[in-house]
Amino acid sequence: MVLKIRLARFGKRNAPFYNIVVAQARTARNSKPLEVLGTYDPIPKPPPASSSAPEEGEKKVKDIKLDISRAKYWLGVGAQPSDPAWRLLSMIGLLEPKYRAPPSKTDQEGQDQ
């Protein structure tokens, strides 16, 4: 039984919301998962700790909530994350980033000297 950690889409049209789930690899995207690990809201919102009047330079954040201990368990038993799930897990620090930007030419010239 091949397991995947992937995103299941919920929410309205033009307002996506995702559950981070563990499911069998051959099931449909929104079928019943084995376990829901957390949620991901890709729409940037102001931080919740800010005052009622947001400042102009304030950075908006995307909300990721994840049960880290269960995610570590499923990764330990062999669940394979999809590419978007890998990106989220690497942002939290559970996995190494899959793709790193290639070094620019200026960085390479500095190393040659």
Side-chain angles (χ1 to χ4, degrees):
M1 174 169 72
V2 180
L3 298 175
K4 292 286 248 182
I5 298 175
R6 60 186 182 195
L7 303 179
R9 185 181 166 132
F10 292 94
K12 301 178 203 172
R13 181 178 32 165
N14 297 327
F17 186 82
Y18 297 93
N19 277 350
I20 304 168
V21 300
V22 176
Q24 293 182 7
R26 294 184 180 192
T27 60
R29 178 187 71 184
N30 288 339
S31 63
K32 187 174 179 183
L34 296 174
E35 184 174 350
V36 177
L37 299 177
T39 60
Y40 170 57
D41 188 0
I43 308 226
K45 295 181 176 57
S50 66
S51 61
S52 60
E55 300 175 17
E56 287 185 22
E58 190 172 345
K59 188 174 181 181
K60 296 183 177 183
V61 294
K62 298 178 181 182
D63 187 32
I64 303 171
K65 295 180 183 172
L66 183 68
D67 186 354
I68 294 175
S69 63
R70 294 303 295 167
K72 284 182 182 178
Y73 167 77
W74 284 110
L75 289 169
V77 297
Q80 297 295 313
S82 65
D83 288 341
W86 189 299
R87 185 177 54 83
L88 292 176
L89 293 172
S90 67
M91 289 169 66
I92 293 171
L94 291 177
L95 295 173
E96 290 293 320
K98 201 171 202 178
Y99 305 108
R100 294 181 184 251
S104 63
K105 290 185 178 183
T106 58
D107 291 341
Q108 291 177 352
E109 290 172 1
Q111 291 176 356
D112 291 338
Q113 294 176 355

